[in-house]
Amino acid sequence: MNLAICTLSLIPLRADKSHRSEMVSQLLFGELFDVLKQEKEWSYIKILENGYEGWLQNGQFESISANNSNKKVKIVGINQAHAVENQNSINLIHGSPIELTGTDSVLINEKSYKLDGELRTPSQDDFAIEFPNLIAHYLNAPYLWGGRSAYGIDCSGLSQLVYRHFGIVIPRDAWQQAEGGIVVDFVSEAKAGDLAFFDNEEGRITHVGIMIDSETIFHASAKVRIDKFDSEGIYNQDYKHYSHKFRIMKRYF
């Protein structure tokens, strides 16, 4: 296995080694992974943070030596940020993990990237202040299967990036996220930040949303939106019907 790092703003992770294959997720600048298999044009990788696997196109990342640093990782905030290397500027997506090697720079192999913009130390202490800002940042972002940015995001990508903002690592997919945390027994006890999960007719977890309070949920369905919530599920206020059937609620912090 070879350690590697994403060196572009946002790259697709695919189910198979083809541009026509399903995009199962995306990687952000600075995210680390193991290259399990490398072929001429594609590499099969495993993300270090959550074990997610898929195919990346070669040329969108760089191999690096073992990461033995004990430095704390910062993440890109919701305001605009860039990584500049010589004359090349890379737009950075919210949640991109940055391990600074200087006061405002990161070194990847022989390339030194100067960071310009908001970097934050992930912390739960400022949840009450930051959570409304995150809602405003992602609100009305288009739904995109496998997406992980305000330019296009899916339901579990949204919950994953919101949690990363506060230093909490959760898995990639909704069904995986539902396996962690502590059960919230009663809907009336829901608090901001709790994750609500929803199933399909076969009983499979297929959707997740983030509670704003015990009666309101923030989630990605067609777009990132705010809807009413009760013990039956999510009530879509635009179409005047329940769009998702409630299964379980979990608390991670």
Side-chain angles (χ1 to χ4, degrees), residues 154-200:
D154 63 21
C155 64
S156 54
L158 178 65
S159 52
Q160 189 185 51
L161 285 174
V162 167
Y163 268 52
R164 177 182 280 182
H165 193 85
F166 301 106
I168 303 168
V169 176
I170 60 175
R172 177 61 179 91
D173 291 339
W175 68 269
Q176 296 170 320
Q177 295 173 6
E179 293 181 344
I182 299 171
V183 175
V184 178
D185 292 318
F186 302 100
V187 168
S188 60
E189 297 177 345
K191 69 174 187 177
D194 288 346
L195 296 183
F197 297 92
F198 307 83
D199 59 14
N200 59 14

Coordinates of all heavy atoms in Angstrom, one line a residue, residues 154-200:
D154 N -24.8 15.2 -1.2 CA -25.9 14.2 -0.9 C -26.2 14.3 0.6 O -25.5 15.0 1.4 CB -25.6 12.8 -1.4 CG -24.4 12.2 -0.8 OD1 -23.9 12.6 0.3 OD2 -23.8 11.2 -1.4
C155 N -27.2 13.5 1.1 CA -27.6 13.7 2.5 C -26.5 13.3 3.5 O -26.3 14.0 4.5 CB -28.9 12.9 2.7 SG -28.7 11.1 2.5
S156 N -25.8 12.2 3.2 CA -24.8 11.8 4.2 C -23.5 12.6 4.0 O -22.7 12.7 5.0 CB -24.5 10.3 4.0 OG -24.2 9.9 2.7
G157 N -23.2 13.1 2.8 CA -22.1 14.0 2.7 C -22.3 15.3 3.5 O -21.4 15.8 4.1
L158 N -23.6 15.7 3.5 CA -23.9 16.9 4.3 C -23.6 16.7 5.8 O -23.0 17.5 6.5 CB -25.3 17.3 4.1 CG -25.9 18.5 4.8 CD1 -25.1 19.8 4.5 CD2 -27.4 18.7 4.6
S159 N -24.2 15.6 6.3 CA -24.0 15.3 7.8 C -22.5 15.1 8.1 O -22.0 15.5 9.1 CB -24.8 14.1 8.2 OG -24.6 13.0 7.4
Q160 N -21.8 14.4 7.2 CA -20.4 14.1 7.4 C -19.6 15.4 7.5 O -18.7 15.6 8.4 CB -19.8 13.2 6.3 CG -18.4 12.7 6.6 CD -17.9 11.9 5.5 OE1 -17.9 12.4 4.3 NE2 -17.4 10.7 5.7
L161 N -19.8 16.4 6.6 CA -19.0 17.6 6.6 C -19.4 18.6 7.7 O -18.6 19.3 8.3 CB -19.2 18.3 5.2 CG -18.4 17.7 4.1 CD1 -18.7 18.4 2.8 CD2 -16.9 17.8 4.4
V162 N -20.7 18.6 8.0 CA -21.1 19.4 9.2 C -20.5 18.9 10.5 O -20.0 19.7 11.3 CB -22.7 19.4 9.3 CG1 -23.1 20.0 10.7 CG2 -23.3 20.2 8.2
Y163 N -20.4 17.6 10.6 CA -19.8 17.0 11.8 C -18.3 17.2 11.8 O -17.7 17.5 12.9 CB -20.1 15.5 11.9 CG -21.4 15.2 12.8 CD1 -22.6 15.9 12.5 CD2 -21.3 14.3 13.8 CE1 -23.7 15.6 13.2 CE2 -22.5 14.1 14.6 CZ -23.6 14.7 14.3 OH -24.8 14.5 15.0
R164 N -17.7 17.2 10.7 CA -16.2 17.4 10.6 C -15.9 18.8 11.1 O -14.9 19.1 11.7 CB -15.7 17.2 9.2 CG -14.2 17.5 9.0 CD -13.7 17.3 7.6 NE -13.4 15.9 7.3 CZ -13.0 15.5 6.1 NH1 -12.7 16.4 5.2 NH2 -12.7 14.3 5.9
H165 N -16.8 19.8 10.8 CA -16.6 21.2 11.2 C -16.4 21.3 12.7 O -15.7 22.2 13.2 CB -17.9 22.0 10.8 CG -17.7 23.4 10.9 ND1 -17.2 24.2 9.9 CD2 -18.0 24.3 11.9 CE1 -17.2 25.5 10.2 NE2 -17.7 25.6 11.4
F166 N -16.9 20.3 13.4 CA -16.8 20.3 14.9 C -15.9 19.2 15.4 O -15.9 18.9 16.6 CB -18.2 20.2 15.5 CG -19.2 21.3 15.1 CD1 -20.2 21.0 14.2 CD2 -19.0 22.6 15.6 CE1 -21.0 22.1 13.8 CE2 -19.8 23.6 15.2 CZ -20.8 23.3 14.3
G167 N -15.1 18.6 14.5 CA -14.1 17.7 14.9 C -14.6 16.3 15.2 O -14.0 15.5 15.9
I168 N -15.8 15.9 14.6 CA -16.4 14.6 14.9 C -16.3 13.8 13.6 O -16.9 14.3 12.5 CB -17.8 14.8 15.3 CG1 -17.9 15.6 16.6 CG2 -18.5 13.4 15.6 CD1 -19.3 16.0 17.0
V169 N -15.7 12.7 13.6 CA -15.6 11.8 12.4 C -16.7 10.8 12.4 O -16.9 10.1 13.4 CB -14.2 11.1 12.4 CG1 -14.1 10.1 11.2 CG2 -13.1 12.1 12.4
I170 N -17.5 10.8 11.3 CA -18.5 9.8 11.2 C -18.4 9.2 9.8 O -17.7 9.7 8.9 CB -20.0 10.4 11.3 CG1 -20.2 11.5 10.3 CG2 -20.2 10.9 12.7 CD1 -21.7 12.0 10.3
P171 N -18.9 8.0 9.6 CA -18.8 7.3 8.3 C -19.4 8.0 7.1 O -20.1 9.1 7.3 CB -19.5 5.9 8.5 CG -19.5 5.8 10.0 CD -19.7 7.1 10.6
R172 N -19.2 7.5 5.9 CA -19.7 8.2 4.7 C -21.1 8.0 4.4 O -21.8 9.0 4.1 CB -18.8 7.7 3.5 CG -19.2 8.3 2.2 CD -19.1 9.8 2.2 NE -19.4 10.4 0.9 CZ -20.6 10.9 0.6 NH1 -21.6 10.8 1.5 NH2 -20.9 11.4 -0.6
D173 N -21.7 6.8 4.5 CA -23.0 6.6 4.0 C -24.0 6.6 5.2 O -23.7 6.4 6.4 CB -23.2 5.2 3.3 CG -22.4 5.2 2.0 OD1 -22.2 6.3 1.4 OD2 -22.1 4.1 1.5
A174 N -25.3 6.9 4.9 CA -26.3 7.1 5.9 C -26.5 5.8 6.8 O -26.6 5.9 8.0 CB -27.7 7.4 5.3
W175 N -26.5 4.6 6.1 CA -26.7 3.4 6.9 C -25.5 3.1 7.8 O -25.7 2.6 8.9 CB -26.9 2.2 5.9 CG -25.7 1.8 5.1 CD1 -25.3 2.3 3.9 CD2 -24.7 0.9 5.5 NE1 -24.2 1.7 3.4 CE2 -23.7 0.8 4.4 CE3 -24.4 0.1 6.6 CZ2 -22.6 0.0 4.4 CZ3 -23.3 -0.7 6.7 CH2 -22.4 -0.8 5.6
Q176 N -24.3 3.6 7.4 CA -23.1 3.4 8.3 C -23.2 4.4 9.4 O -22.9 4.0 10.6 CB -21.9 3.7 7.5 CG -21.6 2.7 6.3 CD -20.5 3.1 5.4 OE1 -20.3 4.3 5.1 NE2 -19.7 2.1 5.0
Q177 N -23.7 5.6 9.2 CA -23.8 6.6 10.2 C -24.8 6.2 11.3 O -24.7 6.5 12.4 CB -24.2 8.0 9.6 CG -23.1 8.6 8.7 CD -23.5 9.8 8.0 OE1 -24.6 10.3 8.2 NE2 -22.7 10.3 7.1
A178 N -25.9 5.5 10.8 CA -26.9 5.0 11.7 C -26.5 4.0 12.7 O -27.1 3.7 13.7 CB -28.1 4.5 10.9
E179 N -25.3 3.3 12.4 CA -24.8 2.3 13.3 C -24.0 2.9 14.5 O -23.8 2.1 15.4 CB -23.9 1.3 12.5 CG -24.7 0.5 11.5 CD -23.8 -0.4 10.7 OE1 -22.6 -0.3 10.7 OE2 -24.3 -1.3 10.0
G180 N -23.7 4.1 14.4 CA -22.9 4.8 15.5 C -23.8 5.6 16.4 O -25.1 5.6 16.3
G181 N -23.2 6.3 17.3 CA -24.0 7.2 18.2 C -24.8 6.5 19.2 O -24.8 5.3 19.4
I182 N -25.6 7.3 20.0 CA -26.5 6.9 21.0 C -27.9 7.2 20.6 O -28.2 8.2 20.1 CB -26.2 7.6 22.4 CG1 -24.7 7.3 22.8 CG2 -27.1 7.2 23.5 CD1 -24.2 8.1 24.0
V183 N -28.8 6.2 20.8 CA -30.2 6.3 20.4 C -30.9 7.4 21.2 O -30.7 7.5 22.5 CB -30.9 5.0 20.6 CG1 -32.4 5.2 20.3 CG2 -30.4 3.9 19.7
V184 N -31.6 8.3 20.5 CA -32.5 9.3 21.2 C -33.9 8.6 21.2 O -34.5 8.4 20.2 CB -32.5 10.6 20.4 CG1 -33.5 11.6 21.1 CG2 -31.1 11.2 20.3
D185 N -34.3 8.3 22.4 CA -35.5 7.4 22.5 C -36.8 8.1 22.1 O -37.7 7.5 21.5 CB -35.7 7.0 24.0 CG -34.6 6.0 24.4 OD1 -34.3 5.1 23.6 OD2 -34.1 6.1 25.5
F186 N -36.9 9.4 22.3 CA -38.2 10.1 22.0 C -37.9 11.4 21.1 O -36.9 12.1 21.4 CB -38.9 10.6 23.3 CG -39.2 9.5 24.2 CD1 -38.4 9.2 25.3 CD2 -40.3 8.7 24.0 CE1 -38.6 8.2 26.2 CE2 -40.6 7.6 24.9 CZ -39.8 7.4 26.0
V187 N -38.7 11.5 20.1 CA -38.5 12.7 19.2 C -38.6 14.0 19.9 O -37.8 14.9 19.6 CB -39.6 12.6 18.1 CG1 -39.7 13.9 17.3 CG2 -39.4 11.4 17.1
S188 N -39.4 14.1 20.9 CA -39.5 15.3 21.7 C -38.2 15.7 22.4 O -38.0 16.8 22.8 CB -40.6 15.2 22.7 OG -40.4 14.1 23.6
E189 N -37.3 14.7 22.5 CA -36.0 15.0 23.2 C -34.9 15.3 22.2 O -33.7 15.6 22.6 CB -35.6 13.7 24.0 CG -36.5 13.3 25.1 CD -36.1 12.0 25.8 OE1 -35.2 11.3 25.3 OE2 -36.6 11.8 26.9
A190 N -35.2 15.4 20.9 CA -34.2 15.8 19.9 C -33.6 17.2 20.2 O -34.3 18.1 20.6 CB -34.8 15.7 18.5
K191 N -32.3 17.3 19.9 CA -31.7 18.6 20.1 C -30.9 18.9 18.8 O -30.6 18.0 18.0 CB -30.8 18.6 21.3 CG -29.5 17.8 21.2 CD -28.6 18.0 22.4 CE -27.3 17.2 22.2 NZ -26.3 17.5 23.3
A192 N -30.5 20.1 18.6 CA -29.8 20.5 17.4 C -28.5 19.7 17.3 O -27.7 19.5 18.2 CB -29.4 22.0 17.5
G193 N -28.3 19.2 16.1 CA -27.1 18.4 15.8 C -27.4 16.9 15.8 O -26.6 16.1 15.3
D194 N -28.5 16.4 16.4 CA -28.8 15.0 16.3 C -29.1 14.6 14.9 O -29.6 15.4 14.1 CB -30.1 14.7 17.2 CG -29.8 14.8 18.7 OD1 -28.6 14.8 19.1 OD2 -30.8 14.9 19.4
L195 N -28.8 13.3 14.6 CA -29.0 12.8 13.2 C -30.3 11.9 13.2 O -30.4 11.0 14.0 CB -27.8 12.0 12.8 CG -26.5 12.7 12.6 CD1 -25.4 11.8 12.0 CD2 -26.7 14.0 11.7
A196 N -31.2 12.2 12.3 CA -32.4 11.4 12.1 C -32.2 10.6 10.8 O -31.8 11.1 9.8 CB -33.6 12.3 12.0
F197 N -32.6 9.3 10.9 CA -32.4 8.4 9.8 C -33.8 7.9 9.3 O -34.7 7.7 10.1 CB -31.5 7.2 10.2 CG -30.1 7.7 10.6 CD1 -29.8 7.9 11.9 CD2 -29.2 7.8 9.6 CE1 -28.5 8.4 12.3 CE2 -27.9 8.2 10.0 CZ -27.6 8.5 11.3
F198 N -33.8 7.6 8.0 CA -35.1 7.2 7.4 C -34.9 6.0 6.5 O -33.8 5.8 5.9 CB -35.6 8.4 6.6 CG -35.7 9.7 7.4 CD1 -34.5 10.5 7.6 CD2 -36.9 10.1 8.0 CE1 -34.6 11.6 8.3 CE2 -36.9 11.2 8.8 CZ -35.8 12.0 8.9
D199 N -35.9 5.2 6.4 CA -35.8 3.9 5.7 C -36.8 3.9 4.5 O -37.7 4.7 4.4 CB -35.9 2.7 6.6 CG -37.2 2.6 7.3 OD1 -38.2 3.3 6.9 OD2 -37.3 1.8 8.3
N200 N -36.5 2.9 3.6 CA -37.4 2.7 2.5 C -38.4 1.5 2.8 O -38.4 1.0 4.0 CB -36.6 2.4 1.2 CG -35.7 1.1 1.3 OD1 -35.9 0.3 2.3 ND2 -34.8 1.0 0.4

